[in-house]
Amino acid sequence: MILGHAARSLREHGTIGSVTLQDSAFLRACRRQPVPHTPVWFMRQAGRSLPEYRKLREGVAMLDACARPDMIVEITLQPVRRYNVDAAIFFSDIMVPLKAIGVDLDIKPGIGPVVAHPVRDLAGVRQLRGLEPDDVWYVTEAVRALVTELGDRPLIGFAGGPFTLASYLIEGGPSRHHEHTKAMMYGAPDLWAELMQRLSAITLEFLRVQIAAGASAVQLFDSWVGALSPEDYQASVLPYSSWIFAQLAEFDLPRIHFGVGTGELLGLLSQAGADVVGVDWRVPLDRAVQRVRPDTALQGNLDPAVLFAPWSVVAERTDDVLARAEAADGHVFNLGHGVLPTTDPAVLERLVEYVHTRTAV
């Protein structure tokens, strides 16, 4: 609580007067250090809820947008300009590295990722080659440009977790029950292991590319692991997530782990090795503190649907999140999942200002 308010620049990278990137409230909170205010960013802050995003994306398919450096940079910066969030999240999609290695897939509006040929046998698994940096040259170019633009504001890189990627590949698209995925996991453990090893290596390389280009932190989105019991997660997913986080340790930057519906898995998500564990809205943060490892910061966890209620309710629920977060050694304010498409941007802007003001030292 000893720092003054961080200086701001969207043009210079590195030291800004006496303030550096490492002084940012976001990075300090991730490292459980004193902060000038609770930092704020929102999952899916760059995207559907912003009219300027929808205008820019007119006539451009999602995966095409994710492969254009100029568009990646502009979309990533849009919420920074509008909301004054404490960190930018790289605009991309968890399916980008799979598309880059030749998987026949598309992201269909209103549906999500759709894989033309689901991967359900050894031949399909072995067609998944490793990711090379040149496969995603546009990521490197965009991250470098963003680091220059953001200056003392951190850029968060991200990738999809191996279970979530496996589910999309095996099911062929979004799934409520993950029946084909679980059938492989339960009934063909050797095939499952090979698939998870390949996906873990692809995920790690995608994160390394972003880090090498200048990302200040990374988040592993394993969105669908909440579909698993703790026993199944521990046996069939934890070893691979742990390997990814262990490989990232050499970079000495904050590593965030997040999944949806993971209240019963928070301890295991923490055990995987992240510095920060994201918590969805189902578990109060003071309870989450009791489930994760000691010396772990928390991220979250306002219910995204609360933003549609009157402002008095938003403020009340935000106060509750902040009060419960006092039990944590470090806290990054976020939603309990992504910004919903019809969210009013003015509410998000007001929320950032509210959190900053309420927690300012």
Side-chain angles (χ1 to χ4, degrees), residues 48-50 54 307-308 339-345:
R48 298 171 294 177
S49 65
L50 290 174
R54 294 193 294 270
L307 300 178
F308 294 84
V339 175
L340 297 173
T342 54
T343 304
D344 182 353

Side-chain angles (χ1 to χ4, degrees), residues 163-164 221-230 233 257-270 277-283 288 291-292 336:
F163 177 83
T164 297
F221 284 90
D222 217 346
S223 305
W224 303 141
V225 289
L228 299 179
S229 69
Y233 178 84
H257 203 184
F258 177 75
V260 184
T262 52
E264 295 301 318
L265 303 178
L266 284 176
L268 292 170
L269 263 66
S270 174
V277 171
V279 184
D280 73 17
W281 67 94
R282 297 171 179 87
V283 180
R291 301 182 186 185
V292 301

Side-chain angles (χ1 to χ4, degrees), residues 94-99 101-106 113-121 124-129 161-175 178 180-181 184 192 194-196 198-200 202-203 224:
I94 65 170
M95 304 302 285
V96 164
L98 297 182
K99 180 72 172 181
I101 64 168
V103 176
D104 187 356
L105 64 88
D106 193 12
V114 176
V115 178
H117 307 289
V119 174
R120 297 177 184 172
D121 58 24
V125 169
R126 291 188 172 171
Q127 286 183 352
L128 300 173
R129 67 170 176 84
F163 177 83
T164 297
L165 294 180
S167 178
Y168 280 123
L169 285 175
I170 297 168
E171 303 293 338
S175 173
H178 309 277
H180 297 292
T181 306
M184 182 189 293
W192 175 260
E194 182 161 346
L195 174 60
M196 292 292 279
R198 287 173 182 259
L199 291 176
S200 297
I202 291 167
T203 293
W224 303 141

Side-chain angles (χ1 to χ4, degrees), residues 123-157:
V125 169
R126 291 188 172 171
Q127 286 183 352
L128 300 173
R129 67 170 176 84
L131 180 73
E132 300 292 337
D134 286 346
D135 294 326
V136 287
W137 61 269
Y138 42 86
V139 170
T140 297
E141 186 173 321
V143 171
R144 286 175 176 167
L146 281 164
V147 167
T148 299
E149 288 290 325
L150 288 165
D152 61 340
R153 199 177 309 248
L155 176 67
I156 305 168

Side-chain angles (χ1 to χ4, degrees), residues 150-317:
L150 288 165
D152 61 340
R153 199 177 309 248
L155 176 67
I156 305 168
F158 78 92
F163 177 83
T164 297
L165 294 180
S167 178
Y168 280 123
L169 285 175
I170 297 168
E171 303 293 338
S175 173
R176 294 185 64 182
H177 304 293
H178 309 277
E179 57 265 36
H180 297 292
T181 306
K182 291 184 178 182
M184 182 189 293
M185 188 176 70
Y186 297 145
D190 291 342
L191 181 60
W192 175 260
E194 182 161 346
L195 174 60
M196 292 292 279
Q197 288 167 6
R198 287 173 182 259
L199 291 176
S200 297
I202 291 167
T203 293
L204 175 63
E205 185 59 29
F206 192 52
L207 292 171
R208 279 177 167 163
V209 166
Q210 295 171 70
I211 294 168
S216 301
V218 291
Q219 175 160 302
L220 189 67
F221 284 90
D222 217 346
S223 305
W224 303 141
V225 289
L228 299 179
S229 69
E231 293 76 17
D232 288 337
Y233 178 84
Q234 186 166 23
S236 301
V237 179
L238 178 61
Y240 307 102
S241 299
S242 297
W243 179 81
I244 292 169
F245 283 119
Q247 300 304 308
L248 293 172
E250 66 176 291
F251 297 106
D252 191 28
L253 49 68
R255 299 158 297 170
I256 309 169
H257 203 184
F258 177 75
V260 184
T262 52
E264 295 301 318
L265 303 178
L266 284 176
L268 292 170
L269 263 66
S270 174
Q271 186 179 323
D275 306 290
V276 184
V277 171
V279 184
D280 73 17
W281 67 94
R282 297 171 179 87
V283 180
L285 292 181
D286 51 348
R287 294 183 191 173
V289 169
Q290 300 169 3
R291 301 182 186 185
V292 301
R293 297 181 308 167
D295 301 327
T296 300
L298 296 182
Q299 178 175 279
N301 69 338
L302 186 69
D303 185 343
V306 168
L307 300 178
F308 294 84
W311 173 253
S312 60
V313 176
V314 177
E316 180 183 359
R317 294 297 186 97

